[in-house]
Amino acid sequence: MSRTARLLMFGVGAAGLGVVLVYGLGGIPAFGHYQGVYGRVLDGIGVAQRHATDLVTGLNFDFRAFDTLGEEFILFASVLGIVLILREMRDEHERPRQEEADEHQFAGASSALRALALGLIPSMIALGVYIVVHGQITPGGGFQGGVILATGPLVAFLSGRYLRMKALAPHTIIELGDAAGAMGYALIGLGGLVFVGVFFKNFLPLGIPGHLLSAGQIDVASVAVGLEVSGAFLVGWSEFFDQAILVRPEGDR
Amino acid sequence: MSFLPYAVAAWLFLIGLYGIVSTRNLVCAILSLTVVQSATYVVLLAIGYTNGGQAPIFADIPQVTKTVDPVVQVLVLTDIVIEATVSAMLLALAVQAYKRFGSLDPQDLRALRD
């Protein structure tokens, strides 16, 4: 099909879709006039029953914990998919490390940038841990904190030291973190099944709302998810960076 | 004004689709897909918004405060995670497509058409 014909067909289809879309969205209660029920109900019981002051994380890891299990395994499976798609092909090889001489120089990767990175790495990791463990109290949680955690080693790459990033976050360790986080989250669900008889029902002490160790399984699940997300992102990123920096077609040096 | 967020969502959805159909670059098509997905964030957050509602974080506000719907916010979080995973997978496929066909133009992916 020619490009013009394709665009013409899309134009007709999109016009129809646009009309239906606007008509359908017009049937939703007007913006600002929320009429849902679940939100109101959960507002009332989030703190009282689960001792979690951040209701979003509370919902994610308790009320909707089962959905999050699926979400987690989607992330896990997609990282597996990336590793599989970007594996070393038959006619490729990874460049030997000595040739790279530990340097993957960006234009302008100066010593000042590296010094800044050195300061940034621990602070990003500390911020990530903070966001993960305070998920049940203030905005944050495993998913958000996990991504921030993963940016710690990423800073090494940004300062032009990709192979240092691989030393900082070795493949075995990040894969292990990814897998252990995914399994840990599933184990929390199984813990509910074993100790209280319902999958993902809270079986841990609830503690005092607003304290670091509170809200039962929400805090623990947040840590498990944070571990998994940071591992998953680092595995995915390093696969892409390997493609760009290390993997070369056979014969190419 | 009360329809504006929904109009923005419809616009994002359609303009993203247009990007996917018209682009000459696979990476651009993947970015267009993320634009389509961002329309769902706008719809979800707009549905849950209530006039004068606060964020559903009760760390420093009384429990009886009127808040926006936390359920849709969690759905958006799930949505973002799914978007990240889908784009990552598609980008990996684009890398391999480039290696195989030497081009990122969807028109050049011969083996898929013949």
Side-chain angles (χ1 to χ4, degrees):
Chain A
M1 196 193 297
S2 83
R3 192 178 146 79
T4 334
R6 187 148 41 101
L7 282 179
L8 214 65
M9 249 180 87
F10 170 75
V12 175
L17 176 67
V19 170
V20 178
L21 205 59
V22 170
Y23 179 73
L25 289 172
I28 293 177
F31 179 67
H33 296 83
Y34 170 69
Q35 289 172 4
V37 181
Y38 293 120
R40 297 265 179 274
V41 173
L42 289 166
D43 268 2
I45 63 177
V47 181
Q49 288 188 6
R50 299 301 202 275
H51 294 202
T53 49
D54 176 5
L55 207 50
V56 178
T57 304
L59 266 165
N60 212 5
F61 296 131
D62 193 320
F63 296 105
R64 280 183 77 241
F66 199 36
D67 290 348
T68 307
L69 183 71
E71 180 184 350
E72 249 225 336
F73 283 138
I74 288 173
L75 182 62
F76 190 72
S78 96
V79 168
L80 277 185
I82 293 169
V83 172
L84 199 63
I85 294 170
L86 296 180
R87 68 192 181 278
E88 208 170 310
M89 294 292 180
R90 207 174 307 153
D91 51 353
E92 292 173 345
H93 67 100
E94 287 205 357
R95 258 194 303 201
R97 289 172 176 226
Q98 301 90 320
E99 276 180 37
E100 282 292 276
D102 190 33
E103 294 281 335
H104 150 66
Q105 285 285 7
F106 280 130
S110 59
S111 339
L113 191 64
R114 284 207 287 273
L116 181 68
L118 209 59
L120 263 179
I121 293 170
S123 23
M124 292 314 281
I125 292 177
L127 179 67
V129 170
Y130 177 87
I131 298 282
V132 167
V133 298
H134 286 79
Q136 82 283 26
I137 306 169
T138 47
F143 286 104
Q144 300 90 323
V147 177
I148 300 174
L149 264 179
T151 57
L154 186 68
V155 171
F157 164 76
L158 290 178
S159 67
R161 294 273 178 134
Y162 177 54
L163 294 175
R164 286 282 164 77
M165 171 179 157
K166 296 196 98 168
L168 196 64
H171 228 271
T172 336
I173 301 287
I174 54 181
E175 276 175 357
L176 205 69
D178 186 14
M183 188 184 69
Y185 189 77
L187 283 180
I188 292 165
L190 282 177
L193 191 63
V194 169
F195 295 111
V196 219
V198 181
F199 196 49
F200 272 116
K201 192 172 161 68
N202 183 45
F203 65 96
L204 296 164
L206 284 173
I208 304 155
H211 281 214
L212 183 58
L213 289 174
S214 65
Q217 70 171 26
I218 297 171
D219 206 8
V220 187
S222 185
V223 171
V225 168
L227 200 61
E228 200 226 332
V229 170
S230 57
F233 270 76
L234 282 171
V235 171
W237 284 336
S238 56
E239 284 298 325
F240 280 107
F241 296 151
D242 279 354
Q243 290 291 321
I245 297 166
L246 291 182
V247 176
R248 289 289 172 272
E250 201 65 65
D252 191 59
R253 294 249 91 200
Chain B
M1 268 307 273
S2 72
F3 191 71
L4 186 64
Y6 302 125
V8 169
W11 166 251
L12 282 175
F13 195 90
L14 289 171
I15 202 71
L17 281 182
Y18 173 76
I20 293 173
V21 175
S22 67
T23 182
R24 281 294 180 72
N25 186 318
L26 282 175
V27 175
C28 180
I30 296 163
L31 290 181
S32 301
L33 183 68
T34 65
V35 173
V36 173
Q37 283 191 302
S38 58
T40 59
Y41 312 156
V42 178
V43 169
L44 282 170
L45 291 177
I47 288 174
Y49 184 75
T50 177
N51 283 329
Q54 301 225 26
I57 314 290
F58 296 95
D60 49 5
I61 56 174
Q63 277 181 52
V64 289
T65 315
K66 184 161 86 162
T67 69
V68 299
D69 187 354
V71 180
V72 290
Q73 302 209 349
V74 179
L75 287 176
V76 171
L77 180 63
T78 306
D79 208 352
I80 291 171
V81 174
I82 304 304
E83 180 192 320
T85 61
V86 168
S87 346
M89 284 277 272
L90 289 174
L91 285 169
L93 286 171
V95 168
Q96 292 299 25
Y98 182 76
K99 275 196 218 161
R100 178 92 190 260
F101 302 104
S103 159
L104 279 174
D105 189 342
Q107 297 272 16
D108 293 340
L109 307 184
R110 290 252 152 223
L112 293 180
R113 292 202 306 176
D114 298 340

